Amino acid sequence: AQTVTQSQPEMSVQEAETVTLSCTYDTSENNYYLFWYKQPPSRQMILVIRQEAYKQQNATENRFSVNFQKAAKSFSLKISDSQLGDTAMYFCAFIPNTNAGKSTFGDGTTLTVKP
Amino acid sequence: EPEVTQTPSHQVTQMGQEVILRCVPISNHLYFYWYRQILGQKVEFLVSFYNNEISEKSEIFDDQFSVERPDGSNFTLKIRSTKLEDSAMYFCASRWAPNTEAFFGQGTRLTVV
């Protein structure tokens, strides 16, 4: 069974600053995928960024980047130049490369961007 | 951009009633999922569905729950006799292949009174 741990229930950052959200996971799988999802107050689940475990290069999407450390089973999200619209709950998720492929989510981190 | 569509966005039902939550996955996707998120808690896996059968289900997905893909486009979650603790946000998700991300619908907020 996989577990995903987000150790920061709440974080805050000043607008235009950089913030890093942490995520660790535990699995015996060798082939899997990691994702960060954003959940604004509307509670919709929005994909922010994805990382394939077999890729050593860290994924980036505009202001969002990850620090993927496979040996340490760590997958942190860095948000640069934070914007007020980044205020949301952020979930880290793990998906094994299997047919069932269910997602396992962390508890989430509530990020508040302050003006 | 293709998206997963869920209806209704909010449903209120009386305890003991049956409820059907509907989802239209992205048209060429093959893997379908239901997740539940009780207010203030993490997203929990309920069930995965592939090739017209359940691939995996969680402990939450007991005999009160069932899923169906009746017509090749819709993917439904039925709760036979709702309980107060079934109140939650229910998310449908779909993906094309195991090595791709899941796309989530906007969710259905179920309130059992």
Side-chain angles (χ1 to χ4, degrees):
Chain A
Q2 292 82 29
T3 60
V4 177
T5 303
Q6 293 179 247
S7 59
Q8 306 151 314
E10 296 180 359
M11 295 275 288
S12 64
V13 63
Q14 290 297 131
E15 195 174 6
E17 297 293 307
T18 295
V19 64
T20 299
L21 309 183
S22 66
C23 172
T24 58
Y25 59 95
D26 190 25
T27 183
S28 58
E29 301 277 347
N30 193 48
N31 195 6
Y32 52 87
Y33 304 85
L34 295 160
F35 303 88
W36 279 97
Y37 286 93
K38 171 185 177 181
Q39 189 180 43
S42 67
R43 298 190 71 186
Q44 187 175 359
M45 201 69 74
I46 303 166
L47 177 67
V48 174
I49 198 165
R50 66 181 294 223
Q51 174 80 44
E52 292 91 340
Y54 63 86
K55 288 187 177 179
Q56 291 186 332
Q57 186 172 6
N58 289 322
T60 62
E61 283 288 341
N62 301 313
R63 298 183 295 108
F64 299 88
S65 62
V66 299
N67 183 3
F68 174 50
Q69 303 289 328
K70 189 173 183 180
K73 295 190 171 83
S74 171
F75 181 61
S76 61
L77 174 70
K78 185 170 83 170
I79 305 174
S80 304
D81 186 26
S82 298
Q83 299 175 359
L84 297 178
D86 295 333
T87 293
M89 177 84 96
Y90 287 81
F91 289 97
C92 177
F94 171 101
I95 302 179
N97 189 11
T98 63
N99 277 344
K102 71 177 185 182
S103 302
T104 300
F105 287 81
D107 288 338
T109 296
T110 300
L111 175 67
T112 302
V113 180
K114 299 179 178 178
Chain B
E1 185 176 325
E3 60 182 14
V4 176
T5 305
Q6 289 184 243
T7 54
S9 57
H10 188 194
Q11 177 148 6
V12 181
T13 189
Q14 286 198 325
M15 189 170 54
Q17 294 296 305
E18 176 183 284
V19 64
I20 297 176
L21 309 183
R22 303 182 190 280
C23 170
V24 179
I26 294 173
S27 61
N28 62 345
H29 285 190
L30 302 175
Y31 299 81
F32 313 108
Y33 308 85
W34 282 102
Y35 294 85
R36 179 182 82 175
Q37 186 185 31
I38 294 171
L39 185 62
Q41 298 187 20
K42 72 161 72 175
V43 179
E44 302 172 291
F45 168 76
L46 290 178
V47 65
S48 60
F49 193 87
Y50 169 71
N51 200 26
N52 286 320
E53 61 182 20
I54 291 174
S55 309
E56 187 175 351
K57 59 184 180 180
S58 71
E59 294 175 350
I60 303 168
F61 195 87
D62 61 21
D63 292 342
Q64 291 298 313
F65 291 88
S66 63
V67 290
E68 203 175 36
R69 189 158 160 79
D71 56 11
S73 62
N74 290 285
F75 179 52
T76 62
L77 174 69
K78 182 193 291 185
I79 309 174
R80 288 189 182 80
S81 178
T82 50
K83 297 176 278 204
L84 294 177
E85 52 264 38
D86 292 328
S87 294
M89 196 78 162
Y90 288 82
F91 290 100
C92 171
S94 70
R95 59 209 294 239
W96 156 241
N99 61 342
T100 60
E101 69 263 30
F103 288 81
F104 283 79
Q106 78 278 22
T108 292
R109 183 173 299 181
L110 177 65
T111 303
V112 182
V113 296

